[in-house]
Amino acid sequence: MPIDPKFIDVDFTQEPQYVRGDLGISFTAMQRFAAFEEFASVIPESKWRDEVAAMDAAGGGADQLVTRIYNQKSEGSCVANACSQSHEILQALQFGKDNVTPLSAISLYKRIGRSPGSGAMVSDGLDEMNERGVLPLDTPENRAKFSSAVMPSTGWSTPYPSGWEATAKRFRVTEWHVVKSVDGIITALLNQFPVVVGRSGHSICYVRPMYKDGKLVVKYANSWGDWGDQGYGYDSMNLIRSSANWAFVPRSVTVQ
Amino acid sequence: MSEKQQKWIGLLILAFVAWKVMGGSVSPKVDGPLTVLIVRETGQSSPALARTLTTLRNGEPAAYLAGKKHILTVLDDDAETADGQPAPLLEKFKPYPVLPELLLISGEKLIHREPLPATPEAVIALVKKHGGE
């Protein structure tokens, strides 16, 4: 499907009706987290076009594992939304799209933000996803499975249900890396891992490399509901490079 | 042994040899849904492996598995439970000397394991060979 140019390189700072909230990465995080590039075999740029063509022929990348688009509404919870989106993508891969437990981004954001609009650091989001996890979204299906240990998608003032920790730790990220380069980001995406990035003060989840008019772009899942191309946008190389300042690749989530 | 019996035994031997030549296996097929477990090291992924896994989650392969109620699970070889313990399904069938590996499990019983075939079509063919048609 052709990409509408208006969805490429969207300047988030020029979207006043939507809220951002990415505060970057903590000073020590880049040293604390293991670098993806040190573990993976980085795919050189000379091979990207062939690999993307193979991905296209197979029907797509991690975008095929996205089961819904998040909507942070008026809260600065983009980091929690992008982190939760990446978790759901890994759930879809590991357990199947029909078995994905939708997650409550606010259950994560309340631990990494300071106020409804403060925003949060991506590194804090990954730390919390690893250490304490995320609660399921408040849906009838999740209530049937997890009783009251669920939360809505938004609502800073929503209290945590009693005993929430036991359920949240069932939805942790157990393996992840920090990515330090454009080559690392593209390699991760060719390996169909979601990549949580931040740019222009907004966090998004990269899901697929593509070529548009001969130039590489990366498709991302945003958390602004039915924004852009049915919830998705596309970054070209300049913005991918900007995103490479702090990016994370979650690789595995807990087994239920 | 009568001449007729000898003829029948000869035919059976011929049929068996032909079946083996065509790639048959002595493993019996099992009835009912299988657990199709793929174990991998996520730190050693590749684009080709990723395409195989994602294709198994979409389109015809996913529809086939769902239609037969086979359960496909893809796990890192270090996958953990909520409590940080090794995933029981992995523990049951370890070690995994060659990754990625495909295991076909019926109930609690391992019925087949081999290095993960290179394509989703080959994975589905193995499932059909050992279980659902």
Side-chain angles (χ1 to χ4, degrees):
Chain A
M1 185 175 287
I3 300 170
D4 189 326
K6 70 183 177 189
F7 302 133
I8 300 176
D9 290 344
V10 174
D11 183 352
F12 296 141
T13 65
Q14 299 302 309
E15 301 275 306
Q17 66 274 43
Y18 296 102
V19 180
R20 295 172 289 135
D22 176 16
L23 302 181
I25 188 169
S26 67
F27 184 69
T28 58
M30 292 296 272
Q31 279 69 46
R32 266 193 307 120
F33 297 129
F36 180 74
E37 290 87 342
E38 291 168 16
F39 284 79
S41 176
V42 174
I43 299 168
E45 186 173 353
S46 60
K47 293 186 176 175
W48 292 355
R49 192 175 291 274
D50 287 345
E51 291 293 354
V52 168
M55 179 182 282
D56 291 345
D63 57 332
Q64 295 181 96
L65 299 168
V66 174
T67 49
R68 68 186 180 112
I69 291 292
Y70 278 66
N71 191 343
Q72 66 191 82
K73 297 184 178 172
S74 60
E75 293 171 326
S77 57
C78 56
V79 167
N81 281 265
C83 288
S84 300
Q85 176 66 267
S86 72
H87 192 295
E88 289 188 18
I89 289 170
L90 291 176
Q91 283 189 62
L93 178 67
Q94 291 181 205
F95 313 118
K97 291 197 285 188
D98 293 339
N99 298 311
V100 171
T101 298
L103 300 175
S104 160
I106 199 68
S107 77
L108 177 61
Y109 180 57
K110 279 170 68 78
R111 283 171 275 149
I112 58 177
R114 292 185 306 279
S115 71
S118 67
M121 289 187 174
V122 180
S123 49
D124 289 346
L126 264 293
D127 271 339
E128 272 298 314
M129 287 234 296
N130 173 244
E131 288 165 16
R132 291 197 286 181
V134 190
L135 274 179
L137 184 65
D138 191 349
T139 65
E141 294 78 15
N142 281 346
R143 278 200 172 257
K145 285 184 198 168
F146 307 105
S147 188
S148 61
V150 295
M151 286 183 75
S153 55
T154 57
W156 174 266
S157 59
T158 308
Y160 282 105
S162 69
W164 67 273
E165 293 95 337
T167 300
K169 72 179 182 180
R170 295 172 64 178
F171 299 95
R172 293 186 298 111
V173 165
T174 55
E175 306 246 2
W176 81 101
H177 288 298
V178 64
V179 188
K180 296 183 172 179
S181 65
V182 170
D183 288 5
I185 286 179
I186 302 303
T187 297
L189 291 169
L190 289 171
N191 282 290
Q192 304 197 17
F193 292 117
V195 182
V196 178
V197 305
R199 67 159 177 88
S200 311
H202 186 52
S203 188
I204 49 183
C205 185
Y206 279 180
V207 290
R208 178 180 177 181
M210 312 170 81
Y211 279 90
K212 160 78 174 167
D213 299 332
K215 292 182 178 171
L216 184 80
V217 297
V218 166
K219 182 179 184 180
Y220 60 84
N222 202 346
S223 54
W224 287 346
D226 190 23
W227 166 91
D229 185 5
Q230 298 181 315
Y232 295 92
Y234 306 85
D235 278 356
S236 69
M237 188 50 80
N238 276 345
L239 292 181
I240 299 168
R241 199 168 285 122
S242 166
S243 295
N245 288 332
W246 52 81
F248 289 88
V249 180
R251 292 177 6 217
S252 182
V253 298
T254 43
V255 178
Q256 295 300 298
Chain B
M1 190 179 294
S2 71
E3 193 175 325
K4 193 175 179 182
Q5 283 174 319
Q6 285 176 343
K7 189 178 172 186
W8 269 110
I9 288 169
L11 281 172
L12 281 172
I13 291 170
L14 269 176
F16 179 76
V17 168
W19 178 59
K20 288 297 286 181
V21 167
M22 287 187 295
S25 162
V26 292
S27 302
K29 284 189 175 184
V30 297
D31 293 327
L34 299 176
T35 295
V36 181
L37 173 63
I38 295 173
V39 183
R40 62 170 181 157
E41 165 51 67
T42 53
Q44 296 172 351
S45 192
S46 71
L49 171 61
R51 288 194 295 273
T52 294
L53 298 180
T54 305
T55 302
L56 285 168
R57 288 298 187 201
N58 290 279
E60 280 183 32
Y64 166 77
L65 292 170
K68 295 293 182 184
K69 296 188 170 18
H70 298 312
I71 298 169
L72 171 63
T73 303
V74 180
L75 296 180
D76 185 273
D77 64 334
D78 293 325
E80 295 178 5
T81 64
D83 296 319
Q85 299 300 310
L89 188 59
L90 287 178
E91 284 293 282
K92 202 173 291 178
F93 302 112
K94 71 177 188 182
Y96 303 94
V98 180
L99 295 176
E101 187 175 22
L102 172 73
L103 291 86
L104 302 178
I105 302 155
S106 175
E108 299 284 305
K109 189 180 172 192
L110 177 69
I111 58 170
H112 183 75
R113 70 192 299 169
E114 68 173 64
L116 181 69
T119 66
E121 293 78 16
V123 172
I124 296 299
L126 265 179
V127 173
K128 288 181 176 176
K129 182 175 168 183
H130 290 278
E133 286 292 348

